[in-house]
Each structure stands twice: as C-alpha cells, then as structure tokens.
C-alpha cells in the first residue's frame, strides 16, 4: 500500500525547523515566512557547547523549546510526542499520514544517507516532514529543506530534490538515535490549528522582549552575549588541540555559522534581521528597519568569520586564533548594542 498526502507541497528553505514548520503552516492554510516563524518563536540565541569531539557553537534556541513558544504565541495546540518504543512511533506515524496530517519529526543527520554526513557528525535536532509512505517498498516520503528550485550544500556536495525516498530502516535509525547533541529519541509533533489566533502585534512584542532578555541577561556564561564573549576567550585555548581536532573544530563551526549549515547565513543573525524587516511594516514608526539592517550586516561579519573557520579547518593554522578571538569579541559588542537599542524601541 502506498499513501501520499495529496495537498501537501514540499518546499525548500533556509533552516530545517522553520522550513518544516513553514510547510506545515502552509498545509493548514496559515502561511507565515520562515523569518517570521523564527522571530515569533524567539529563535535567536547563542550557546558555546564543549563536546569531546569538538567545541560547537549554536545560534538558535533549543529544539522543542522554540516550537513550543511559537505555538503558545499563536495559540496552536502543539504536542511533542516522545514514544519510548519505536514500533509504537511507527504505527502512530502511519496512522497520522493516513489521516492526512504531515508529521514533523526529528532525525539524527548522519543516518539520513542523502545528506552524506560523516558518521560521527551527530545532530538529532534536524527537523523534516513525513508526508507519505510505501508499505510494500518500505519507504517514507521525506521533505527536507532542499528542493529542485532550492539547492543546499552538504559536506560532500549539493542536493536539490523535491522530496527524498528514505527506507524504513534509515528512518528508524535516525529517529531513535540517542546520540548527542539534542538526541532525536523518536520525538515528533502533533498540531491542532483549530485554535489558531494570529495576534501578530502582541506576539511579536512578547517574542522580541523574550529574545532581548535571554540574550542580554542569560542565566549562564555560555549563553547569550556572555556566550559570544566566552567563545572569543575559549577559541584561544584551541591552540592546545591536536591539529586534527583543530581542523574538526574549524569545519564544525563553519557549518554552525554558514547558510550551508542551515542558518540562513550569519549564524541566524540574517534571518533575525529579515524578521525585523517584516516587523517594521507591522509596528510602524518604531524605526526597527535600521536595526534590521544592523543584524543583517552583523550576519555578514559572522559569515566572514565562518570563511576563516573553513580555512582553519583546511590548514589547522593556530596563528589564526588570536585575530579570530578579536573578531568575535567585536561582534559581541555590536550585538549587545543592537539588542539594547531594540529593547528600548519595543519598550517605548
């Protein structure tokens, strides 16, 4: 038996979760841009993460936390399911698709073969949408963020498919993975849009205030603006890494910043700038467009850093670390100023 949700249209996008959500919102006739979804969920963040294989930075809030905030602000019923038994997870997934509900799931990226990731490049917070299945061939129809008119770059090349046919076995490995960071562990979302309320003005103000607070007054030194400052300090310690680990750190964090890694460019700062451009049309006379341009320019600076990190990944040249530290420190100061100005505008 083969079943495909007829009215679901796969589309490509900048970031996995905002693109997956965009497709779900479109399907239920409540279209919002990726940038608006990102901003409404208070997606902008920063974390410096120490992992054994390589230190890693992140420019967005945690998976699940982001989706739940977005749903709350738009009064959507969104339930994150976490079945312990994969067989139960599979049965429920098939049932939802047969009921014409696309299923937003989380997968560990190396197990999705079309992404051509290194086996050790675990990340279980990658979101895709299942919108069909073939029981006889044991395949799922998967929409990722690539599309025939939206190519994306993977570590080993470019992909651009409207959808991917992925075996049940691959999907099971990817969904049930417990590898850090952000273990997938069978998580998926069920949505109910019957209570949806587009209170954009109220929701936008709440979202921006939340972002400013979490970035300017984070609860830990590894988070928010403090985390960016910490990154500027910690990168100097990378000189003690073996050359192999230094190269891995460079490449890993290139993808955490670059649009190639699904950030929309500039470790999500460009997406936040695009969100603020949309906000400027909804909240007139606030002067937010100027700050939007500031975030987009800041994203350009992060992209310059990403290019340097790529070079670090190719050469393992530890002499780069001192100037990189200075670049990061300057960006922390710039972002703090932008967020302080944004907070004043929203509060006025």
């Amino acid at each position: 038996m083969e079943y495909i949700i007829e009215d679901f249209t796969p589309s490509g996008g900048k970031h996995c979760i905002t693109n997956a959500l965009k497709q779900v919102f479109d399907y239920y006739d409540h279209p919002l841009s990726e940038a608006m979804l990102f901003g409404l969920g208070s997606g902008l963040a920063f974390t410096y993460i120490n992992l054994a294989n390589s230190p890693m930075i992140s420019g967005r809030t945690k998976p699940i936390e982001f989706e739940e905030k977005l749903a709350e602000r738009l009064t959507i019923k969104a339930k994150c399911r976490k079945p312990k038994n994969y067989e139960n997870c599979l049965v429920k997934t098939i049932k939802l698709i047969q009921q014409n509900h696309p299923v937003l799931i989380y997968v560990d990226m190396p197990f999705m073969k079309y992404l051509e990731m290194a086996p050790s490049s675990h990340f279980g917070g990658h979101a895709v949408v299942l919108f069909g299945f073939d029981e006889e061939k044991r395949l799922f129809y998967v929409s990722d963020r690539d599309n025939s008119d939206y190519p994306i770059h993977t570590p080993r090349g470019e992909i651009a498919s409207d959808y991917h046919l992925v075996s049940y076995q691959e999907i099971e490995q990817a969904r049930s993975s417990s590898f850090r960071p952000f273990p997938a562990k069978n998580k998926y979302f069920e949505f109910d849009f019957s209570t949806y309320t587009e209170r954009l003005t109220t929701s936008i103000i709440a979202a921006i205030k939340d972002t400013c607070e979490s970035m300017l007054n984070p609860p830990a030194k590894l988070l928010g603006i403090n985390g960016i400052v910490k990154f500027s300090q910690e990168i100097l310690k990378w000189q003690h890494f073996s050359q192999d680990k230094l190269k891995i750190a460079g490449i890993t964090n290139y993808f955490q910043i670059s649009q190639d890694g699904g950030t929309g460019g500039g470790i999500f700062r460009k997406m936040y700038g695009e969100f603020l451009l949309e906000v400027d049309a909804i909240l007139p006379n606030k002067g937010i467009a100027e700050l939007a341009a500031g975030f987009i320019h800041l994203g350009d600076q992060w992209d310059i850093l990403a290019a340097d990190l790529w070079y670090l990944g190719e050469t393992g040249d530890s002499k780069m670390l001192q100037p990189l530290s200075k670049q990061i420190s300057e960006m922390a100061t710039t972002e703090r100023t932008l967020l302080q100005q944004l907070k004043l505008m929203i509060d006025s």
Side-chain angles (χ1 to χ4, degrees), residues 100-254:
N100 293 317
H101 295 300
V103 186
L104 191 159
I105 68 169
Y106 300 86
V107 294
D108 192 356
M109 297 176 77
F111 294 115
M112 306 295 278
K113 293 179 183 177
Y114 62 83
L115 291 173
E116 298 186 311
M117 303 285 287
S120 61
S121 301
H122 293 289
F123 180 77
H126 187 66
V128 299
V129 181
L130 302 181
F131 65 97
F133 62 87
D134 187 323
E135 279 281 9
E136 184 178 339
K137 296 179 180 178
R138 299 188 66 76
L139 296 170
F140 275 111
Y141 285 76
V142 179
S143 177
D144 206 321
R145 69 181 189 89
D146 64 308
N147 198 264
S148 57
D149 59 359
Y150 199 97
I152 67 169
H153 294 276
T154 71
R156 296 182 185 176
E158 188 177 272
I159 58 174
S161 298
D162 287 339
Y163 60 87
H164 300 271
L165 291 172
V166 182
S167 73
Y168 279 20
Q169 182 181 12
E170 266 186 69
I171 291 292
E172 179 177 358
Q173 286 180 306
R175 294 186 71 180
S176 61
S177 171
S178 59
F179 285 102
R180 295 183 62 214
F182 312 119
K185 288 189 174 179
N186 298 325
K187 292 191 293 292
Y188 69 94
F189 262 95
E190 290 185 33
F191 295 96
D192 180 354
F193 281 77
S194 63
T195 56
Y196 178 90
T197 307
E198 196 172 279
R199 306 172 303 176
L200 278 187
T201 299
T202 304
S203 299
I204 284 168
I205 291 171
I208 292 176
K209 285 183 175 181
D210 185 14
T211 294
C212 291
E213 177 63 25
S214 64
M215 286 295 296
L216 292 169
N217 301 298
K221 290 184 178 180
L222 299 178
L223 304 175
I225 299 298
N226 288 351
I228 303 175
V229 173
K230 183 73 171 176
F231 181 30
S232 74
Q233 298 165 345
E234 288 293 315
I235 199 170
L236 294 173
K237 299 178 184 178
W238 293 10
Q239 64 186 310
H240 303 299
F241 291 175
S242 68
Q243 192 165 74
D244 283 348
K245 185 171 181 178
L246 185 56
K247 288 180 177 181
I248 291 169
I251 296 298
T252 297
N253 289 288
Y254 165 82

Side-chain angles (χ1 to χ4, degrees), residues 14-15 145 153 254-264 268:
K14 296 177 179 179
H15 176 49
R145 69 181 189 89
H153 294 276
Y254 165 82
F255 281 106
Q256 291 301 110
I257 297 170
S258 168
Q259 66 178 3
D260 289 346
T263 72
F268 298 100

Side-chain angles (χ1 to χ4, degrees), residues 15-18 21 38 41-47 49 57-67 106 123 125-127 182 215 223 256 262-263 267-269:
H15 176 49
C16 67
I17 184 58
T18 52
L21 286 165
F38 182 74
S42 297
L44 191 78
F46 190 91
T47 309
I49 309 167
I57 60 173
S58 172
R60 55 150 288 186
T61 48
K62 292 179 181 178
I64 310 306
E65 178 183 306
F66 166 77
E67 293 87 321
Y106 300 86
F123 180 77
H126 187 66
F182 312 119
M215 286 295 296
L223 304 175
Q256 291 301 110
T263 72
I267 197 168
F268 298 100
R269 272 57 191 164

